[in-house]
Amino acid sequence: MKAKSIIKVLDFGGQYSHLICRRVREVGVYAELEPFDTNIENLMNEDVKGIILSGGPASVYQRDAPICDLRVFRLGKPILGICYGLQLIAYLFDGKVSRSERREYGKAALYIDDKSELFQGLEDKIDCWMSHGDKVEELPRNFEVIAHTDNSPYAAIRSKDRLIFGVQFHPEVAHTPRGIDIIRNFVYRISKAERSWDMKNFVEEKVKEIREKVKDEKVLCAISGGVDSTTTAVLVDRAIGKNLTCIFVDHGLLRKKEAERVLEILERMKLNIVFVDAKEDFLEKLKGVKDPEEKRRVIGEEFVRVFTKKSLELGRFGWLAQGTLYPDVIESAKTGSKASRIKTHHNVAGLPDWIEFKLLEPLKELYKDEVREVAKLLGLPDEIVKRHPFPGPGLAVRIIGEVNEEKLRICREASYIVEEELIKANLYDKVWQAFAFVGDDKVVGVLGDERKLGYVVTIRIVESTDAMTADWLRIPYDLLAKISSRITNEVDGVTLVTYAISSKPPSTIEPQ
Ligand code: XMP
């Protein structure tokens, strides 16, 4: 989709960089993340109305501190530095930045000294969220203070003669309740961006774009029943109708009742769908495989095989549609440079060259919450819109060690109970993912008067905004007790239930 106004966010490695982009989009303007050292040409286009410098873990006075191209400040475009971004501005414009005696983390009262631009419409005092070790100690040349806190005299500054602003706090996080108004002021009042980003327009323009791109060629779309692939399929279906074929493969690693549910929904949506039952093939290939990455490789390869075979049977396809999202694009761009690969996420990529598909990725500019909005607009049922993400390799990454029928049954049944209880407690929609996992450890239990060895099942329930970081849910004890007793009572072969209380990082969401 061609956006008329863009805000570029230079990413200095902060954990909230994506969140800044999302907030800008929330107020109605398209925002894109760029690496901090992006080529200056990527910022020069007249559609780029403003530039935000993100936070980051480095210190500006470190020898290898990340610094953007200095010409960024000569483009004449409005700039807002957040946290590290503010410190960088202060450092580059001859101010002084030094390590604070104590790290400031948490809520602080921000006293606003100047309400003319960035803080227009705000009260004299607002809550803000601080998270920094370094702080500005001397104001850069030709800058003035526009807000302060008890601990940070330069909590917000601005250039006296240019549209360059810096804030020490984080306006993008929910703990700065008026932060969204600050972002709105930067985007509209200061950068003069035009409102041009909303999901209704997105759908209309995407449908047109897909039609123009694909013309009368055939498109194949692999569907998992998750919100990304299903939304992709429905969007493409709206554009080209009968020339779309969807494939849904049951690899035997799906959740309880999943295949039936997904097929029923897809049929209700009148999509042209082909179902492949490949359970036996996948489980056969996984025999003896214990290593998590090896599991992913085996599953990925088998997907390709099943998929290729079926697509050749079905006729000639020019395009392959995938539900790739914006964070995936950014993550893959990083792969090979700084970010190391944590897990090899498999989808249908990596198909053999000889199929020669062109890729159709209509959601690749969107975040998950935007996809959910599109899904709603396209009339997808809540069951899909609100569905928790589910990994392509399915339950295989929730089974530690070899995948076998017994552990699959336990994992499937226990996860079903976790989901069911969360739905009943009205918590399902409030968490990112909730499931159970199982390994090979067995512990002693008592059944009646008898001693019995059984499996250990672990419950994992996490909150997250984008899966890059996650925190475990502080679930009410009574609910935990209910889930635990249901699992030991209803799932044969389980003698102990545990709850995973590690965040990401250092853990990951999936156990494998
Ligand atoms: P981790 O476990 O790395 O997961 O914290 C982050 C998010 O990605 C999902 N995930 C996967 N999705 N193929 C996928 O399609 C995979 O191999 C895979 N591994 C993890 C995970 O469910 C979470 O939402």
Side-chain angles (χ1 to χ4, degrees):
M1 175 170 157
K2 271 269 155 293
K4 282 184 217 80
S5 288
I6 304 179
I7 297 289
K8 293 271 188 173
V9 178
L10 296 195
D11 181 10
F12 288 90
Q15 65 181 99
Y16 301 132
S17 303
H18 273 294
L19 195 55
I20 302 173
C21 267
R22 287 176 43 211
R23 292 285 179 250
V24 174
R25 291 180 183 199
E26 239 172 79
V27 301
V29 173
Y30 183 66
E32 250 176 25
L33 211 58
E34 293 278 352
F36 69 88
D37 54 356
T38 190
N39 191 319
I40 191 75
E41 284 180 10
N42 293 329
L43 307 173
M44 287 167 68
N45 191 305
E46 65 172 313
D47 292 346
V48 179
K49 302 295 180 197
I51 298 167
I52 299 181
L53 314 180
S54 83
S59 290
V60 285
Y61 44 77
Q62 248 169 252
R63 203 180 318 140
D64 53 355
I67 292 184
C68 54
D69 188 323
L70 297 182
R71 285 173 292 178
V72 166
F73 298 96
R74 282 189 238 126
L75 293 172
K77 299 192 192 272
I79 292 174
L80 171 65
I82 296 178
C83 198
Y84 178 85
L86 157 87
Q87 293 156 11
L88 186 65
I89 291 171
Y91 180 75
L92 294 175
F93 287 86
D94 291 333
K96 191 168 166 216
V97 179
S98 58
R99 185 161 292 285
S100 267
E101 268 158 36
R102 59 188 172 93
R103 193 180 159 75
E104 193 180 10
Y105 182 82
K107 250 185 202 161
L110 183 80
Y111 300 95
I112 297 177
D113 304 305
D114 176 342
K115 289 202 209 163
S116 59
E117 284 169 317
L118 199 58
F119 299 131
Q120 204 166 90
L122 270 61
E123 303 79 44
D124 296 340
K125 179 183 157 200
I126 62 169
D127 281 338
C128 72
W129 185 256
M130 290 285 190
S131 171
H132 62 112
D134 291 346
K135 70 178 194 181
V136 176
E137 221 151 65
E138 272 170 35
L139 210 52
R141 223 171 340 130
N142 224 18
F143 272 73
E144 61 191 350
V145 178
I146 52 174
H148 66 276
T149 66
D150 290 337
N151 194 40
S152 297
Y154 308 117
I157 61 173
R158 63 155 296 161
S159 157
K160 286 185 190 162
D161 51 9
R162 291 198 274 168
L163 293 175
I164 301 178
F165 299 78
V167 292
Q168 182 59 77
F169 60 93
H170 290 272
E172 70 278 21
V173 305
H175 301 300
T176 303
R178 299 299 300 268
I180 195 78
D181 300 299
I182 298 171
I183 286 173
R184 197 177 281 118
N185 281 342
F186 177 72
V187 168
Y188 292 114
R189 206 173 287 283
I190 298 168
S191 304
K192 309 273 185 269
E194 267 176 58
R195 174 178 290 275
S196 52
W197 184 250
D198 80 65
M199 292 303 107
K200 230 169 134 207
N201 284 343
F202 175 88
V203 169
E204 278 165 24
E205 289 186 28
K206 260 302 155 200
V207 165
K208 229 190 301 162
E209 189 188 305
I210 295 170
R211 242 177 238 150
E212 281 163 16
K213 235 187 196 169
V214 171
K215 303 204 172 69
D216 52 6
E217 286 184 281
K218 288 170 102 187
V219 178
L220 195 62
C221 182
I223 280 202
S224 68
V227 67
D228 308 340
S229 59
T230 314
T231 307
T232 303
V234 175
L235 199 58
V236 177
D237 177 68
R238 197 170 265 203
I240 60 160
K242 64 175 182 8
N243 275 349
L244 169 71
T245 303
C246 303
I247 292 194
F248 175 52
V249 179
D250 182 351
H251 51 11
L253 305 161
L254 296 173
R255 287 168 284 192
K256 184 170 165 172
K257 298 189 183 162
E258 185 151 35
E260 301 90 302
R261 248 156 145 185
V262 169
L263 277 177
E264 191 253 315
I265 291 170
L266 297 178
E267 271 158 22
R268 221 187 313 140
M269 308 234 32
K270 305 218 173 344
L271 288 175
N272 179 14
I273 179 99
V274 175
F275 175 65
V276 185
D277 181 350
K279 290 201 267 302
E280 280 180 17
D281 296 337
F282 274 87
L283 297 185
E284 184 59 36
K285 292 269 163 38
L286 281 170
K287 272 199 181 139
V289 182
K290 295 186 177 142
D291 177 70
E293 281 300 276
E294 182 60 7
K295 280 185 199 167
R296 284 188 165 78
R297 196 195 58 72
V298 168
I299 293 168
E301 197 176 273
E302 190 56 17
F303 250 127
V304 172
R305 208 186 58 73
V306 172
F307 196 61
T308 309
K309 188 164 160 252
K310 202 72 199 170
S311 64
L312 288 176
E313 270 171 44
L314 292 170
R316 187 158 178 79
F317 293 92
W319 296 82
L320 176 71
Q322 295 200 121
T324 314
L325 303 194
Y326 187 59
D328 308 338
V329 175
I330 297 287
E331 279 304 294
S332 8
K334 275 191 189 165
T335 311
S337 66
K338 289 207 180 85
S340 56
R341 180 176 277 202
I342 298 170
K343 291 176 185 179
T344 323
H345 288 210
H346 265 297
N347 44 21
V348 283
L351 288 163
D353 289 348
W354 50 269
I355 295 196
E356 289 179 353
F357 284 123
K358 285 164 278 187
L359 276 188
L360 193 60
E361 299 178 312
L363 308 181
K364 72 167 185 234
E365 293 143 305
L366 303 189
Y367 286 104
K368 194 95 180 177
D369 45 356
E370 291 173 320
V371 173
R372 290 197 163 118
E373 214 182 313
V374 169
K376 253 196 188 136
L377 285 170
L378 291 171
L380 269 74
D382 263 11
E383 215 181 327
I384 290 205
V385 177
K386 295 187 173 165
R387 206 117 205 272
H388 288 169
F390 186 62
L395 299 182
V397 294
R398 295 181 180 172
I399 287 174
I400 301 168
E402 187 182 357
V403 175
N404 61 33
E405 292 288 358
E406 185 167 33
K407 285 196 274 177
L408 263 176
R409 172 186 60 80
I410 290 174
C411 188
R412 203 171 263 142
E413 295 295 331
S415 290
Y416 194 74
I417 292 173
V418 173
E419 284 199 11
E420 219 171 43
E421 289 302 325
L422 281 191
I423 292 170
K424 273 196 233 159
N426 243 337
L427 281 172
Y428 182 87
D429 293 344
K430 299 191 176 79
V431 303
W432 180 264
Q433 273 170 300
F435 54 86
F437 64 87
V438 63
D440 291 311
D441 285 347
K442 285 190 171 178
V443 295
V444 175
V446 276
L447 195 72
D449 287 337
E450 242 178 83
R451 176 191 142 95
K452 192 183 160 196
L453 265 188
Y455 284 94
V456 179
V457 161
T458 303
I459 303 166
R460 181 99 169 118
I461 306 177
V462 295
E463 295 177 295
S464 174
T465 49
D466 48 20
M468 309 289 280
T469 57
D471 199 7
W472 56 280
L473 185 76
R474 273 48 169 186
I475 181 175
Y477 283 165
D478 288 350
L479 182 55
L480 204 50
K482 180 142 188 239
I483 296 176
S484 161
S485 74
R486 276 198 64 192
I487 292 176
T488 45
N489 283 332
E490 295 172 33
V491 188
D492 196 29
V494 181
T495 44
L496 184 77
V497 176
T498 64
Y499 188 53
I501 51 164
S502 296
S503 302
K504 173 181 181 176
S507 299
T508 54
I509 296 175
E510 305 290 348
Q512 293 247 291

